[in-house]
Amino acid sequence: MQRITVIPGDGIGPEVTRGACDVVAASGAAVRFHEVPAGQRAEREHGTPLPGAVFESVSETKIALKGPTQTPFGGDYRIHVERRDAAGKTRRSSYPSIAIALRRELELYVAVRPSKNYPGVPSHFENVDLLIFRENSEDLYIGMERMIDEGTAEAIKIISLRATERVTRFALEYMRKLKRRRLTIGHKANVMKLTDGLFLKTAQETARAFPDIAVEQRVVDALCMELVMRPGEYDALLLPNLYGDIVSDLAAGLVGGLGVAPGANFGPDCAMFEAVHGTAPDIAGKDLANPMAMILTAVMMLRYMNEGQAADRIERALAAVLREGRAVTRDLGGEAGTRAMTDAIIEQMR
Ligand code: ATP
């Protein structure tokens, strides 16, 4: 029985993670959930948005299913993390958000975000099947920002050979397993000559060891334009952290929006599965959120755990509910709530 750490999170997080856990439980997968708090609720109840219990649980289970967590905008709000290293020494770090703290502390160096059309999900396109690999550990997301004077702020962008090589190798190996054949590297090396230049050169050189996969490159702004004009022509994308974040939302928009876009983060020791969407405070607590993104995120988790049959059952049930189009949420053109859509998927599996 595989134990899974579940972090319900904030906003729509508790509603959609509940839905995903119920669907997984109904799929026949041999799993047990261990729920731990993180986010604003954890801050209120435990005095910290990222309690040590989260790391204790993940270090044991090695797999987490995470709902979105909210980090206040602006100011100098930071997430402080205190952990003991192997030698028993206390190490203190601080990060701009909970998601970044988790990715960095757990060494989750790559995010994988598929965007594909599902029959029944309204979208401007019909032939999108994209796989996005986002470098997760560096770039402008290292959180080194400061005010130089009252009218000037500065941020530091880090790109390293080691991290780029690691994420490129991961992407190409992942593609090989799925028999995907074309990788496009997104960058801005024409302007960010040293940082993005290093990313592009390292990714291209690493890819030489994978002659079965065609590798091409695009400047990220042109890539965005081409994606919204001809998304069907792209197979897999590899991007540094910031561009990866932005292009992931763009890609979600190509196939029906954030309500349908799943995601996963991988590291050497553990994996954390989280949908692309955030806390969506506008619809939180109203039974309006689409659980599909989180359910597909759980499907990715089950495939990672070699629970392929359970994953197939869920995907088939979800596809049937989408095809029927009755028990779907408002963003998909229906009138069902989060719970009713979840129950319809579970009902299909019976
Ligand atoms: P955060 O600050 O946590 O990123 P946000 O509201 O800025 O939250 P998202 O949560 O990513 O950003 O979502 C943007 C909008 O997309 C939401 O306001 C909501 O209307 C819609 N949305 C996001 N996720 C879903 C979902 N699962 N179901 C339906 N609509 C969604």
Side-chain angles (χ1 to χ4, degrees):
M1 188 73 78
Q2 169 74 51
R3 269 166 53 91
I4 295 166
T5 301
V6 177
I7 304 167
D10 299 313
I12 60 171
E15 298 163 75
V16 294
T17 40
R18 172 90 312 211
C21 290
D22 290 350
V23 168
V24 169
S27 73
V31 298
R32 256 189 31 230
F33 301 114
H34 181 228
E35 196 174 302
V36 289
Q40 298 305 302
R41 207 186 94 198
E43 175 141 38
R44 281 194 304 277
E45 290 173 8
H46 301 268
T48 165
L50 194 47
V54 173
F55 296 107
E56 280 157 31
S57 178
V58 178
S59 71
E60 193 198 308
T61 63
K62 310 288 185 199
I63 297 181
L65 184 64
K66 177 186 169 292
T69 40
Q70 198 202 331
T71 305
F73 273 105
D76 52 6
Y77 188 92
R78 306 276 298 179
I79 304 297
H80 298 281
V81 178
E82 219 179 82
R83 293 180 71 194
R84 287 255 170 94
D85 64 17
K89 264 193 162 173
T90 303
R91 197 171 46 75
R92 291 184 185 82
S93 318
S94 81
Y95 302 97
S97 78
I98 297 168
I100 294 176
L102 281 168
R103 290 175 200 150
R104 292 274 295 285
E105 287 287 324
L106 298 173
E107 241 196 291
L108 301 166
Y109 63 84
V110 55
V112 180
R113 296 172 161 187
S115 275
K116 73 171 189 175
N117 286 124
Y118 277 85
V121 175
S123 137
H124 296 295
F125 301 96
E126 281 169 2
N127 54 349
V128 184
D129 186 4
L130 277 170
L131 193 56
I132 296 182
F133 298 98
R134 166 186 174 191
E135 202 289 322
N136 238 355
S137 71
E138 50 183 29
D139 197 356
L140 281 160
Y141 275 57
I142 54 166
M144 286 179 71
E145 283 191 296
R146 68 179 184 114
M147 296 305 293
I148 296 175
D149 58 43
E150 261 179 34
T152 318
E154 162 187 77
I156 294 179
K157 169 166 167 134
I158 296 278
I159 298 285
S160 72
L161 188 144
R162 180 180 159 270
T164 309
E165 206 175 69
R166 181 171 69 169
V167 71
T168 308
R169 194 168 290 285
F170 178 96
L172 291 159
E173 280 165 3
Y174 199 96
M175 285 177 71
R176 248 185 198 164
K177 277 189 220 136
L178 298 179
K179 303 200 168 27
R180 301 188 75 131
R181 290 283 166 253
R182 200 156 68 94
L183 179 69
T184 305
I185 305 162
H187 63 88
K188 192 77 192 171
N190 51 338
V191 177
M192 310 297 293
K193 292 179 198 293
L194 296 184
T195 47
D196 283 15
L198 180 64
F199 187 87
L200 175 60
K201 182 164 165 272
T202 307
Q204 286 173 323
E205 281 174 5
T206 308
R208 289 213 190 106
F210 296 78
D212 48 319
I213 295 175
V215 176
E216 55 177 28
Q217 50 88 17
R218 286 279 183 287
V219 174
V220 69
D221 42 353
L223 175 65
C224 288
M225 187 203 65
E226 286 177 27
L227 281 173
V228 295
M229 292 188 75
R230 295 178 289 277
E233 287 178 17
Y234 287 87
D235 181 2
L237 309 176
L238 171 66
L239 296 141
N241 208 340
L242 177 63
Y243 311 145
D245 189 19
I246 297 167
V247 176
S248 298
D249 274 30
L250 185 151
L254 297 174
V255 297
L258 287 168
V260 306
N265 302 281
F266 297 99
D269 189 45
C270 60
M272 186 171 81
F273 295 82
E274 61 177 332
V276 177
H277 65 71
T279 55
D282 53 331
I283 54 169
K286 297 179 181 160
D287 195 38
L288 290 175
N290 185 351
M292 179 171 162
M294 204 62 204
I295 290 170
L296 287 174
T297 298
V299 165
M300 287 179 83
M301 178 185 78
L302 290 172
R303 296 207 186 283
Y304 171 78
M305 292 161 46
N306 289 323
E307 284 275 4
Q309 278 189 357
D312 289 344
R313 283 187 75 197
I314 296 174
E315 277 205 295
R316 275 198 304 271
L318 171 64
V321 168
L322 293 172
R323 254 195 326 272
E324 278 177 14
R326 274 184 293 122
V328 295
T329 45
R330 279 197 206 172
D331 57 314
L332 300 182
E335 283 173 13
T338 313
R339 194 64 239 174
M341 182 165 170
T342 305
D343 289 343
I345 296 165
I346 293 171
E347 191 55 37
Q348 278 289 338
M349 285 192 284
R350 291 230 162 94

